[in-house]
Amino acid sequence: MEWVKSTTLNDNKTKTYTLSATINLVNRSQNLTPEGIETFKTNFVAQMKESFGGTLNNGDTVEIGNINYVDKGPYTVVLVDKISSEKPITELDNGSEIKGYTLGENGNSQANFMEVIVSREMTPAYATHEIGHSLGLKHQSDDSNKVKDLVKTDNLMFAPQFEISKKTIPEQKQTIIKNIPDEKAK
């Protein structure tokens, strides 16, 4: 996983967790121009800040730090017009090899490879939803989701998603913090 977390102890004894990531962004959409990609990047970071940032039940806070986009890397978001139904690919258009990905039927590994359908203004929300899976968040219908009864229709991880919400609850933010390694441990 290409996410890291740094932890700051605040004067009031609470903690601030700053989450940063390196993301290999690949455009396979016929509908996105280079300007559209830049707009997506800006909106995607804003969406992650809104969805994953906030306050935990104990008063600790979560914030999104640096999101770096790279041309090659193991943590990949692919923007597509249609989710691939073909056998898993072994190499991306930019030459990044796909190693260690376990792709599901929807083309997503739920760990480090996510295909996101380009859908105008909703694309950053879809991408953030898929990133949520890679950080350990689950749909409310998943029996292994320990907070499934708290995931309501206005939650980022609610499925089916007819209208994607940006909200996550403190318990989901706690899951994210638990699943992201400390910067010093990398």
Side-chain angles (χ1 to χ4, degrees), residues 83-122:
I83 298 294
S84 81
S85 57
E86 57 198 53
K87 291 185 179 179
I89 51 179
T90 57
E91 188 173 288
L92 297 171
D93 299 341
N94 65 7
S96 294
E97 289 184 52
I98 297 180
K99 292 182 179 176
Y101 296 127
T102 305
L103 300 180
E105 290 178 24
N106 63 353
N108 296 324
S109 71
Q110 306 298 337
N112 57 358
F113 180 87
M114 289 130 297
E115 283 188 327
V116 176
I117 295 176
V118 173
S119 174
R120 295 187 201 106
E121 69 280 349
M122 293 305 293

Side-chain angles (χ1 to χ4, degrees), residues 157-176:
M157 302 311 291
F158 189 85
Q161 302 268 188
F162 299 108
E163 290 186 35
I164 302 248
S165 171
K166 300 173 183 176
K167 178 182 172 184
T168 58
I169 57 176
E171 292 83 357
Q172 289 171 309
K173 293 175 192 346
Q174 190 64 49
T175 297
I176 292 169

Side-chain angles (χ1 to χ4, degrees), residues 25-29 31-44 69 77-80 118 123-124:
L25 184 64
V26 178
N27 181 21
R28 284 200 175 159
S29 172
N31 299 314
L32 276 179
T33 63
E35 296 81 20
I37 289 292
E38 292 307 311
T39 299
F40 168 80
K41 288 177 179 179
T42 300
N43 294 340
F44 188 29
Y69 294 103
V77 173
V78 182
L79 301 171
V80 296
V118 173
T123 305

Side-chain angles (χ1 to χ4, degrees), residues 14 52-63 168-171 173-174:
T14 62
F52 301 143
T55 305
L56 302 176
N57 291 331
N58 65 0
D60 291 349
T61 58
V62 181
E63 62 185 26
T168 58
I169 57 176
E171 292 83 357
K173 293 175 192 346
Q174 190 64 49

Side-chain angles (χ1 to χ4, degrees), residues 5-37:
K5 133 185 107 204
S6 63
T7 306
T8 304
L9 184 60
N10 303 314
D11 290 339
N12 65 358
K13 305 292 187 218
T14 62
K15 295 177 183 175
T16 298
Y17 299 98
T18 304
L19 314 178
S20 300
T22 300
I23 299 172
N24 175 23
L25 184 64
V26 178
N27 181 21
R28 284 200 175 159
S29 172
Q30 302 294 318
N31 299 314
L32 276 179
T33 63
E35 296 81 20
I37 289 292

